[in-house]
């Protein structure tokens, strides 16, 4: 038979369920903790969370964050602290989406959306500025012309995207650890942590407390 054996395999596959999708017209749901394009968050009263401390820039292994802090104007403070992020840039030609900046940030200012579909035709467009990264007045990430946002890409942008748990301790399971966000308020812990235990009906964090945080 020789090469005809190969055609037999192809013919058989034609009648099996299709496992591919017609990307980019059809996109599969992304994981809850997907690391995509960053956002700079704001508090519920509209103030920016970034205090310009530069910890994110210091921890970034790709050295792609540039931050300059400045004293808050007395009459019109930008953030609740003494200082705010005066300049904030991320170079997406270098970012590896490791999320270490998210982990390092003391004010939960920087988090990541689920968007990864964005491309550039020149190097300067790949450097996102603060104006592009800070969320809009509705608390949602700004949708830029070259970005392909789909439903769900800007959901759970903050309060969710920790790459690791706090010191890995079960004591923190189910606890809300993040401050409220503009347009979103204080968000619940992740769904797997919210769900009641099937045997006892108790939520995870109650079970954790009963076990002494183990
Ligand atoms: S995700 Fe990682 S590489 Fe990208 S800006 Fe943050 S620390 Fe740097
Ligand atoms: S994003 Fe967070 S870590 Fe980075 S400068 Fe602002 S407050 Fe500091």
């Amino acid at each position: 038979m020789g090469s005809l054996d190969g055609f037999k395999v192809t013919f058989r596959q034609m009648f099996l369920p299709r496992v591919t999708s017609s990307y980019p017209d059809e996109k599969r749901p992304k994981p809850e903790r997907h690391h995509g394009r960053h956002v700079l968050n704001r508090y519920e009263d509209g103030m920016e969370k970034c205090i310009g401390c530069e910890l994110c820039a210091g921890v970034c292994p790709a050295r792609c964050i540039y931050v300059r802090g400045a004293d808050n104007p007395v009459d019109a403070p930008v953030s609740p602290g003494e200082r705010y992020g005066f300049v904030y840039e991320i170079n997406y030609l270098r970012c590896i989406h490791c999320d270490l900046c998210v982990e390092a940030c003391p004010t939960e200012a920087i988090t990541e959306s689920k968007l990864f579909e964005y491309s550039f035709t020149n190097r300067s467009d790949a450097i996102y500025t603060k104006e592009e990264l800070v969320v809009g007045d509705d608390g949602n990430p700004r949708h830029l012309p070259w970005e392909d946002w789909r439903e769900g890409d800007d959901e759970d942008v903050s309060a969710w995207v920790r790459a690791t748990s706090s010191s890995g301790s079960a004591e923190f399971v189910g606890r809300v650890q993040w401050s409220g966000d503009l347009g979103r308020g204080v968000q619940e812990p992740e769904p797997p942590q919210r769900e009641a235990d099937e045997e006892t009906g108790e939520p995870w964090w109650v079970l954790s407390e009963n076990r002494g945080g183990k």
Side-chain angles (χ1 to χ4, degrees):
M1 294 288 280
S3 59
L4 287 180
D5 284 344
F7 285 115
K8 271 197 320 198
V9 173
T10 307
F11 192 72
R12 255 201 324 270
Q13 292 296 322
M14 288 167 62
F15 300 99
L16 295 177
R18 204 169 53 130
V19 294
T20 54
S21 59
S22 301
Y23 185 89
D25 297 327
E26 182 189 323
K27 292 187 181 177
R28 291 182 174 169
K30 294 169 185 165
E32 283 167 7
R33 293 189 178 207
H34 180 92
H35 295 180
R37 197 265 269 176
H38 296 81
V39 294
L40 287 173
N41 295 295
R42 295 162 66 182
Y43 290 105
E44 289 170 272
D45 61 4
M47 282 195 144
E48 293 179 10
K49 291 189 177 184
C50 180
I51 53 173
C53 68
E54 301 182 26
L55 283 177
C56 52
V59 79
C60 176
R63 304 186 69 81
C64 62
I65 301 181
Y66 177 67
V67 187
R68 293 282 302 277
D71 288 345
N72 262 314
V74 179
D75 296 336
V78 180
S79 75
E82 285 178 22
R83 291 168 66 79
Y84 74 106
F86 175 59
V87 176
Y88 200 103
E89 295 177 357
I90 297 179
N91 184 344
Y92 280 111
L93 292 176
R94 303 177 72 168
C95 175
I96 55 173
H97 292 282
C98 64
D99 245 13
L100 287 178
C101 50
V102 178
E103 297 288 322
C105 181
T107 61
E108 305 149 5
I110 186 163
T111 53
E112 292 194 357
S113 68
K114 297 183 180 61
L115 176 79
F116 68 80
E117 290 100 344
Y118 52 109
S119 57
F120 324 98
T121 53
N122 63 70
R123 286 173 180 265
S124 58
D125 281 354
I127 299 173
Y128 274 48
T129 62
K130 182 180 164 184
E131 286 65 36
E132 293 161 332
L133 292 167
V134 173
V135 295
D137 291 339
D138 59 357
N140 287 317
R142 297 176 198 277
H143 292 194
L144 304 169
W146 55 87
E147 297 175 336
D148 186 11
W149 290 87
R150 299 294 173 92
E151 191 179 345
D153 285 351
D154 56 3
E155 279 175 13
D156 312 320
V157 164
S158 64
W160 290 65
V161 199
R162 270 197 196 281
T164 58
S165 65
S166 308
S167 308
S169 170
E171 199 177 331
F172 295 96
V173 169
R175 291 186 187 278
V176 177
Q177 299 175 72
W178 293 65
S179 52
D181 293 292
L182 179 65
R184 297 167 190 268
V186 178
Q187 296 183 68
E188 293 282 323
E190 295 173 52
Q193 299 179 346
R194 280 208 301 266
E195 288 163 8
D197 181 271
E198 284 182 6
E199 288 177 19
T200 65
E202 295 278 21
W204 280 34
W205 62 92
V206 174
L207 292 174
S208 175
E209 281 171 357
N210 291 345
R211 288 195 298 260
K214 302 285 189 304

